[in-house]
C-alpha cells in the first residue's frame, strides 16, 4: 500500500498537477490576443448619435482611452442595425479625447532614439511624472543628465519646456543637451520654438491614426483644445474637449514660459553650438531680468564648459544664489577655483536633494574624490552606493577606500558584487584581475592570490594574471614559485605576441632580488625597448645593478640613457606633435616618480664614479620636474657647491630687534698680506668716503710722506700715479712695513687693487669674514661685489641664495634683484654655450622668482 493512502479509498493515479491558472475563473483559457484595429461603437445620447471608442487602443507608447465623435445631420428615427459600418462614411465632429501614457512605456519607446547621445550604446532613460510635468534622466557610464520638463498645453499643441538641467561628465551645457534630447525623442512630431519643444496638431495626429485604422472617416477637430494635462503616479493623462475653456496653467508652467520668452533665442544658439553668441544673448536676458536664477545658471554652465572662466562663472552664480545652493554647478565651480571644502558641501547638498538616484550617486562619487579624510570619503561612497548600487565606478572607489582603512571583508564583498554583476567570462576575468591588483598594491598578498587564481579560472592563459599571481606569491615569501610563474608568464606573452616589457621588468626584479643573479637581471631589463612605458625604470635598474656588479661604465651609459629619455620626453610634451607625444608618454607615471629616479641616478653617479658633473645634470633635470622638492634642491646645491666650493653656508640668522646697517652704511676693515711696493706709503692708509669735488692737489717734491693727506676718490687711478715715491737711494730695508689693515667704504673695494691687494686674495679674506660672522650683511655684499667683478657667477649665486633664504626682509629686498641678474647671466651663458638643459633650469628659477 502506498504511504499515506487511506484505507478503503483507491489510490489516485499519478499525473501532472493542475495549474493554478486552470483553477481561476474562466477555466484557464488563454487571454484573447489584442486586436490590431480599434473597436468602435455607436452611442445615442440626448437625441444625438455618436461614435465612441469601445476599449482603449495603443498608439505607440500612448493609449487612447476615450474618443467621442458626434455625427450631425441625422434625423430620428434611424436604423442602427448596421452598427458603425453604416455611418463610417460620415465625417463627424470630435467632441472628446483622452490619452494616457505610462512613464516606463514612454522611456522604453524613446530610449532607442537616444542611442549615442551620451556615449556608445543606448543610455538608461527614466521618464517619471512630477508636479505639472515630468522628470527626464539619462545615464551612460559615469555621465548623467537630468532635467525637469514643464508641460504647458495650448489650444491644440503641447509645449514641453526643459528647466533645471544638470549633469555630471558632460561636454556641453546641460540645458542645450536637454533641448537636444527632447528634440530627438519627439522626432518629426515636434519642433523647437524659443527654447521649447512644441508638439503641433497633436489631436489631429491621434485621430488620423486611430479612426482610419478602424475603417471610419477622420472627424473634424476644429474647436477642440486641451483642457488638462495630469501627471499621476506612474502615468501621464491628457484630455481635450470641444469648445472647452482654456487650460489653467500652474506656477511651474508659467515660470517656464516666461523664462523661455526671455532666453529662448540664447537657448537655440546654445543648441546650435554657438556658445559665445549664446553667452551674449544670456547676458542681454540678464539685463532684462537681473539675477534670474535659471538664466544665471545657464550662463555659468557655458563658462564652465568653455573652461578657464571659473571665477567669472562663480560670480554670475553668486549674484543669484549662494554657491553651495547651486547644486552640481556650484560644486564644479568651487572645485575649479580651489575651494575643495565648499565644493564638497555643494555636492553633498546636491546629492541629498537630487531625485534621480544615479546622478545623486555620481555626485557623491565626485564629493568623495574631494575628501581628504578617509572616513569622510568612505561615508560619501556608502551614500552613493545606497542611491545607485549598480554603478561600477562607485563600487571600485569604495573597494579602494575600504582597503585604505583595512576593511578587507568589505572590500571582498564589493569585489564579489562586481563579479556577480559582470556578464560574460571576459568581464568577470577583468573584475577579478582588477580586484587582485588592488589588494596586492595595498599589501594583502593572500587575498590577492585568491583573486588572481579566480581570474585564472576565466582566462588560464593570461600572462598578466599569471604574472600577478607570481608577484603575490613573491610578496607572501614564496620566491622560487614566484620566479617559475613569472617565467611562465613571459613564455605565454611571447607565444601570444603580447607586449612583454612589464613582464621582463618583473622577471628582472625577481632574478635580482630572489635568485641574486644580477647579470641575468641586467640582460632582462636591457631588452626592454626605449619606447616602452617601463623604459625609464628599466634604465634605472640597469644602472643600479651594473654599479653593484662593478661595471661602472655600463652603469653610466644606462643612467645617461635614462636622462636622455627624460629630456626627450619633456621636449616632446612641450612640442605636442605626434612623434613627441609618444616620447612624452614616458612621463605618464607622474613627475614625482621620474624625479625620484633621476635623484637615485645622481646618487649612483656620485657614489660609484665620483662624477659630480653627471650627478648635477641628473639633479638639474629632476628639478625641472619637481622645482619645489626640498630634497632634490638640497642635493643640487650640495653637488654644485662641491663642483665650485661654496663661499658661505650661513646658519639661520639670530633674531635681533636691533636694526642692522646696510652694506652701503658700513665701514669694513679687511686684513690683507700685501707685497712691498715703492709707491705705497709706510703708514696705515685709511680710505674714507669721497668728499665733494675739490681743486686738484699738486704733490710736493718730497722724499717721504708720512700719510696721504688728501682722500682718494674711488676709481681715480690718476692720483695714484702722482703719489710721492721713495728716491732711488733708498733701499727696501729702509721701507716701513706695508699696512695689513685697509678700511673700505661704499664703492671703494676696487681701490684695494691700487695698493697691491689682488681680487682673488680679497675674495678669500672676505669669505673668511663671512664664515666667521654669517650675519654680517655688509661683508657679504662686499664679497658679492668682488665675485661679480671676478665673473664667478656660480659662487655669487650660492652666496646670494644663502643670503636670500637666511636673511631678514631688508636683506632679501637687497639681495633679490642681484640674484635675478646672476640667474639671467647664467642662463644666457649656458644658452650661448649650447647647454640648453642647464639654461632651462636657470630660466625656470628666474621665472619662479618673477612670479
Amino acid at each position: 500500500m502506498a504511504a499515506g493512502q487511506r484505507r478503503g479509498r483507491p489510490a489516485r493515479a499519478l499525473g501532472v498537477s493542475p495549474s493554478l491558472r486552470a483553477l481561476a475563473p474562466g477555466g484557464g483559457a488563454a487571454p484573447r490576443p489584442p486586436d490590431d484595429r480599434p473597436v468602435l461603437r455607436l452611442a445615442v445620447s440626448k437625441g444625438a448619435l455618436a461614435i465612441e471608442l469601445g476599449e482603449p487602443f495603443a498608439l505607440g507608447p500612448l493609449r487612447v482611452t476615450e474618443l467621442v465623435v458626434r455625427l450631425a445631420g441625422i434625423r430620428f428615427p434611424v436604423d442602427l442595425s448596421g452598427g458603425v459600418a453604416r455611418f463610417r462614411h460620415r465625417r463627424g465632429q470630435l467632441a472628446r479625447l483622452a490619452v494616457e501614457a505610462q512613464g516606463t512605456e514612454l522611456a522604453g519607446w524613446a530610449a532607442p532614439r537616444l542611442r549615442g547621445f551620451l556615449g556608445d550604446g543606448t543610455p538608461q532613460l527614466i521618464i517619471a511624472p512630477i508636479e505639472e510635468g515630468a522628470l527626464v534622466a539619462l545615464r551612460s557610464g559615469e555621465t548623467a543628465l537630468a532635467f525637469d520638463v514643464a508641460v504647458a498645453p495650448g489650444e491644440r499643441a503641447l509645449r514641453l519646456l526643459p528647466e533645471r538641467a544638470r549633469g555630471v561628465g558632460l561636454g556641453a551645457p546641460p540645458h542645450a543637451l536637454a533641448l537636444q534630447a527632447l528634440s530627438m525623442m519627439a522626432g518629426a512630431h515636434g519642433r523647437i520654438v524659443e527654447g521649447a519643444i512644441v508638439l503641433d496638431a497633436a489631436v489631429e495626429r491621434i485621430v488620423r491614426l486611430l479612426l482610419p485604422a478602424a475603417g471610419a472617416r477622420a472627424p473634424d477637430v476644429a474647436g477642440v483644445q486641451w483642457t488638462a494635462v495630469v501627471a499621476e503616479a506612474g502615468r501621464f493623462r491628457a484630455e481635450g474637449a470641444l469648445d472647452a475653456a482654456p487650460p489653467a496653467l500652474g506656477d511651474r508652467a508659467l515660470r517656464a514660459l516666461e523664462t523661455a520668452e526671455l532666453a529662448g533665442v540664447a537657448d537655440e544658439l546654445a543648441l546650435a553650438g554657438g556658445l559665445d553668441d549664446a553667452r551674449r544673448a544670456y547676458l542681454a536676458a540678464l539685463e532684462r531680468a537681473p539675477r534670474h536664477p535659471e538664466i544665471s545658471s545657464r550662463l555659468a554652465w557655458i563658462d564652465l564648459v568653455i573652461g578657464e572662466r571659473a571665477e567669472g562663472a562663480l560670480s554670475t552664480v553668486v549674484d543669484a544664489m549662494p554657491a553651495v545652493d547651486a547644486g552640481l554647478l556650484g560644486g564644479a565651480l568651487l572645485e575649479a577655483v580651489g575651494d575643495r571644502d565648499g565644493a564638497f558641501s555643494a555636492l553633498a547638498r546636491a546629492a541629498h536633494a537630487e531625485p534621480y538616484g544615479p546622478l545623486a550617486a555620481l555626485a557623491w562619487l565626485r564629493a568623495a574624490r574631494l575628501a581628504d579624510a578617509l572616513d569622510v570619503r568612505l561615508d560619501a561612497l556608502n551614500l552613493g552606493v545606497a542611491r545607485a548600487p549598480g554603478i561600477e565606478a562607485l563600487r571600485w572607489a569604495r573597494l579602494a577606500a575600504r582597503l585604505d582603512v583595512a576593511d578587507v571583508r568589505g572590500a571582498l564583498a564589493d569585489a564579489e558584487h562586481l563579479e556577480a554583476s559582470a556578464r560574460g567570462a571576459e568581464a568577470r576575468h577583468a573584475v577579478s584581475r582588477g580586484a587582485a591588483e588592488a589588494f596586492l598594491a595595498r599589501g594583502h598578498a593572500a587575498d590577492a592570490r585568491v583573486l588572481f587564481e579566480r581570474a585564472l579560472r576565466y582566462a588560464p592563459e593570461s600572462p598578466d594574471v599569471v604574472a600577478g599571481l607570481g608577484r603575490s606569491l613573491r610578496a607572501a615569501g614564496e620566491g622560487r614559485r614566484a620566479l617559475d610563474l613569472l617565467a611562465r608568464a613571459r613564455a605565454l606573452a611571447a607565444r601570444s605576441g603580447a607586449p612583454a616589457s612589464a613582464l621582463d621588468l618583473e622577471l628582472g626584479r625577481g632574478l635580482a632580488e630572489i635568485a641574486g643573479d644580477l647579470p641575468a637581471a641586467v640582460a632582462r631589463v636591457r631588452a626592454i625597448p626605449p619606447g616602452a612605458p617601463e623604459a625609464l625604470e628599466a634604465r634605472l635598474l640597469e644602472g643600479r645593478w651594473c654599479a653593484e656588479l662593478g661595471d661602472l661604465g655600463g652603469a653610466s651609459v644606462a643612467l645617461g640613457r635614462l636622462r636622455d629619455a627624460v629630456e626627450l620626453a619633456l621636449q616632446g610634451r612641450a612640442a605636442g606633435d605626434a612623434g613627441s607625444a609618444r616620447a612624452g608618454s614616458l612621463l605618464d607615471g607622474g613627475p614625482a616618480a621620474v624625479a625620484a629616479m633621476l635623484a637615485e641616478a645622481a646618487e649612483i653617479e656620485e657614489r660609484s664614479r665620483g662624477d659630480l658633473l653627471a650627478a648635477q645634470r641628473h639633479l638639474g633635470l629632476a628639478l625641472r620636474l619637481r622645482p619645489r622638492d626640498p630634497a632634490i634642491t638640497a642635493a643640487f646645491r650640495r653637488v654644485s657647491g662641491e663642483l665650485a666650493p661654496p663661499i658661505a653656508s650661513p646658519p639661520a640668522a639670530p633674531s635681533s630687534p636691533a636694526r642692522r646697517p646696510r652694506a652701503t652704511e658700513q665701514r669694513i676693515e679687511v686684513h690683507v698680506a700685501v707685497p712691498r711696493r715703492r709707491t705705497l706709503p709706510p703708514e696705515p692708509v685709511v680710505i674714507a668716503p669721497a668728499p665733494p669735488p675739490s681743486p686738484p692737489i699738486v704733490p710736493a717734491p718730497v722724499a717721504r710722506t708720512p700719510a696721504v693727506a688728501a682722500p682718494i676718490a674711488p676709481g681715480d687711478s690718476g692720483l695714484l700715479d702722482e703719489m710721492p715715491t721713495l728716491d732711488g737711494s733708498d733701499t727696501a730695508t729702509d721701507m716701513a712695513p706695508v699696512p695689513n689693515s685697509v678700511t673700505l667704504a661704499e664703492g671703494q673695494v676696487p681701490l684695494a687693487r691700487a695698493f697691491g691687494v689682488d681680487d682673488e686674495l680679497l675674495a678669500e679674506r672676505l669669505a673668511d669674514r663671512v664664515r666667521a660672522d654669517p650675519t654680517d650683511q655688509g661683508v657679504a655684499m662686499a664679497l658679492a661685489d668682488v665675485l661679480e667683478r671676478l665673473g664667478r657667477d656660480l659662487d655669487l649665486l650660492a652666496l646670494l641664495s644663502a643670503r636670500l633664504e637666511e636673511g631678514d626682509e631688508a636683506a632679501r629686498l637687497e639681495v633679490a634683484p642681484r640674484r635675478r641678474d646672476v640667474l639671467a647671466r647664467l642662463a644666457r651663458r649656458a644658452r650661448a654655450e649650447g647647454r640648453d638643459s642647464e639654461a632651462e633650469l636657470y630660466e625656470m628659477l628666474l621665472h619662479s622668482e618673477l612670479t
Side-chain angles (χ1 to χ4, degrees), residues 50 465 541:
V465 177
L541 293 176

Side-chain angles (χ1 to χ4, degrees), residues 512-828:
E513 298 171 4
I514 299 172
D517 191 352
L518 290 182
V522 169
R524 281 290 179 184
V525 297
R526 188 172 287 175
I528 297 177
E534 299 81 10
L536 297 183
E537 189 174 0
R539 301 291 87 79
L540 175 64
L541 293 176
E542 180 184 352
R544 180 196 299 171
W545 294 334
C546 284
E548 293 179 8
L549 287 171
D551 183 9
L552 302 183
S556 180
V557 170
L559 298 178
R561 290 175 179 172
L562 167 65
R563 184 180 64 246
D564 294 341
V566 175
E567 288 181 347
L568 181 61
L570 287 174
Q571 294 174 2
R573 179 165 291 183
D577 54 78
S580 301
R582 289 192 295 271
S585 64
L586 294 175
L587 304 179
D588 292 342
V594 179
M597 294 181 193
L598 292 169
E600 183 179 352
E603 182 182 356
I604 294 173
E605 292 280 11
E606 182 182 3
R607 182 185 65 247
S608 301
R609 300 180 63 245
D611 191 347
L612 296 179
L613 185 58
Q616 185 188 41
R617 292 187 63 187
H618 284 297
L619 291 171
L621 192 56
L623 274 179
R624 291 177 59 187
L625 293 168
R626 299 278 291 176
R628 300 188 183 277
D629 191 300
I632 297 176
T633 304
F636 179 79
R637 286 179 177 171
R638 179 182 56 78
V639 172
S640 300
E642 293 181 10
L643 284 172
I647 299 302
S649 300
S655 58
S656 175
R659 173 184 176 272
R660 185 175 64 243
R662 298 171 61 88
T664 57
E665 302 172 1
Q666 299 186 58
R667 298 176 66 83
I668 307 166
E669 184 175 345
V670 183
H671 294 270
V672 294
V674 297
R676 295 178 180 273
R677 290 186 54 176
R678 299 182 61 86
T679 56
L680 285 178
E683 299 294 332
V685 178
V686 176
I687 305 176
S694 59
I697 300 175
V698 178
V702 293
R704 302 181 72 93
T705 304
V708 177
I712 304 175
D716 194 350
S717 60
L719 293 179
L720 293 177
D721 295 335
E722 300 177 3
M723 290 179 60
T725 60
L726 303 174
D727 347 79
S729 60
D730 293 336
T731 61
T733 56
D734 298 330
M735 290 181 58
V738 177
N740 61 356
S741 177
V742 181
T743 302
L744 308 176
E746 178 186 4
Q748 294 180 340
V749 173
L751 284 180
R753 290 180 298 175
F755 297 97
V757 182
D758 185 70
D759 279 341
E760 293 287 350
L761 185 61
L762 184 59
E764 183 179 353
R765 296 297 178 262
L766 288 171
D768 292 338
R769 289 284 303 275
V770 171
R771 293 189 187 99
D773 185 7
T775 64
D776 196 332
Q777 177 75 4
V779 176
M781 292 298 99
L783 177 58
D785 294 336
V786 177
L787 293 177
E788 183 174 2
R789 188 167 58 254
L790 290 173
R792 292 165 57 179
D793 284 337
L794 285 176
D795 296 342
L796 179 58
L797 178 61
L799 173 65
L800 296 177
S801 299
R803 301 307 305 167
L804 190 64
E805 292 182 0
E806 305 297 340
D808 56 13
E809 184 64 27
R812 286 193 289 270
L813 291 176
E814 184 178 2
V815 168
R818 300 191 64 170
R819 186 173 184 271
R820 290 195 290 268
D821 294 340
V822 174
L823 287 172
R825 286 200 303 272
L826 288 172
R828 288 195 299 269

Side-chain angles (χ1 to χ4, degrees), residues 161-510:
L161 300 105
E163 59 178 4
R164 294 186 62 245
R166 64 269 184 198
V168 170
L170 305 175
H175 188 77
L177 291 176
L179 270 176
Q180 184 180 357
L182 280 180
S183 178
M184 293 173 67
M185 288 188 284
H189 302 293
R191 60 189 179 93
I192 300 177
V193 179
E194 290 186 352
I197 303 298
V198 179
L199 303 178
D200 287 321
V203 175
E204 291 92 331
R205 293 175 184 272
I206 292 173
V207 297
R208 287 177 182 176
L209 288 174
L210 188 145
L211 288 175
R217 188 176 179 181
D220 183 12
V221 296
V224 177
Q225 61 181 6
W226 297 107
T227 58
V229 175
V230 181
E232 300 173 341
R235 67 170 184 167
F236 304 92
R237 179 178 177 83
E239 299 178 357
L242 179 64
D243 298 330
L249 300 180
D251 294 341
R252 178 189 293 271
L254 291 174
R255 286 196 302 267
L257 287 172
E258 289 296 326
T259 304
E261 184 178 352
L262 287 169
V265 175
D267 294 339
E268 294 184 13
L269 290 172
L271 177 61
L275 296 184
D276 290 333
D277 294 335
R279 188 180 189 281
R280 286 190 289 269
Y282 281 131
L283 284 174
L286 279 179
E287 291 181 4
R288 298 172 57 192
R291 301 189 178 185
H292 193 291
E294 181 68 19
I295 299 176
S296 298
S297 297
R298 297 178 192 178
L299 175 60
W301 272 113
I302 288 180
D303 287 338
L304 180 63
V305 169
I306 292 177
E308 299 182 358
R309 298 180 181 180
E311 291 77 9
L314 185 60
S315 175
T316 302
V317 170
V318 169
D319 283 344
M321 70 193 82
V324 293
D325 293 336
L328 297 173
L329 172 62
L333 291 176
L334 289 171
E335 180 184 359
V337 300
D339 186 358
R340 295 171 62 90
D341 294 336
F344 182 89
S345 299
L347 290 172
R349 290 192 182 190
H352 279 300
E354 177 58 49
Y356 180 46
L359 184 56
L362 292 175
W364 281 121
L365 177 60
R366 293 191 62 177
R369 292 169 180 170
L370 295 173
D372 296 326
L374 288 177
D375 54 344
V376 177
R377 184 188 312 165
L378 189 55
D379 289 343
L381 292 172
N382 287 334
L383 291 171
V385 172
R387 292 297 304 272
I391 297 182
E392 294 184 4
L394 269 168
R395 288 280 181 180
W396 283 113
R398 192 171 73 167
L399 184 149
R402 282 178 164 175
L403 287 176
D404 289 337
V405 298
D407 182 8
V408 179
R409 179 178 297 180
L412 284 173
D414 281 328
E416 292 173 357
H417 185 280
L418 286 167
E419 183 180 357
S421 301
R423 292 292 178 265
E426 184 177 354
R428 294 197 170 194
H429 162 75
V431 168
S432 298
R433 175 186 168 187
E437 294 285 355
F439 274 82
L440 182 59
R442 290 163 177 82
H444 302 286
D447 297 297
R449 174 179 178 177
V450 173
L451 290 169
F452 275 123
E453 290 172 348
R454 186 181 300 175
L456 283 176
R457 178 194 311 168
Y458 302 108
E461 299 296 322
S462 172
D464 293 333
V465 177
V466 174
L469 181 58
R471 287 187 284 116
S472 62
L473 289 174
R474 185 177 65 185
E478 302 181 27
R480 298 297 175 182
R481 175 60 178 159
L483 269 181
D484 293 341
L485 287 174
L486 290 173
R488 179 171 177 265
R490 181 64 178 83
L492 289 173
R495 186 188 312 164
S496 62
S501 299
L503 295 174
D504 282 332
L505 191 65
E506 289 292 338
L507 192 54
R509 285 183 181 275

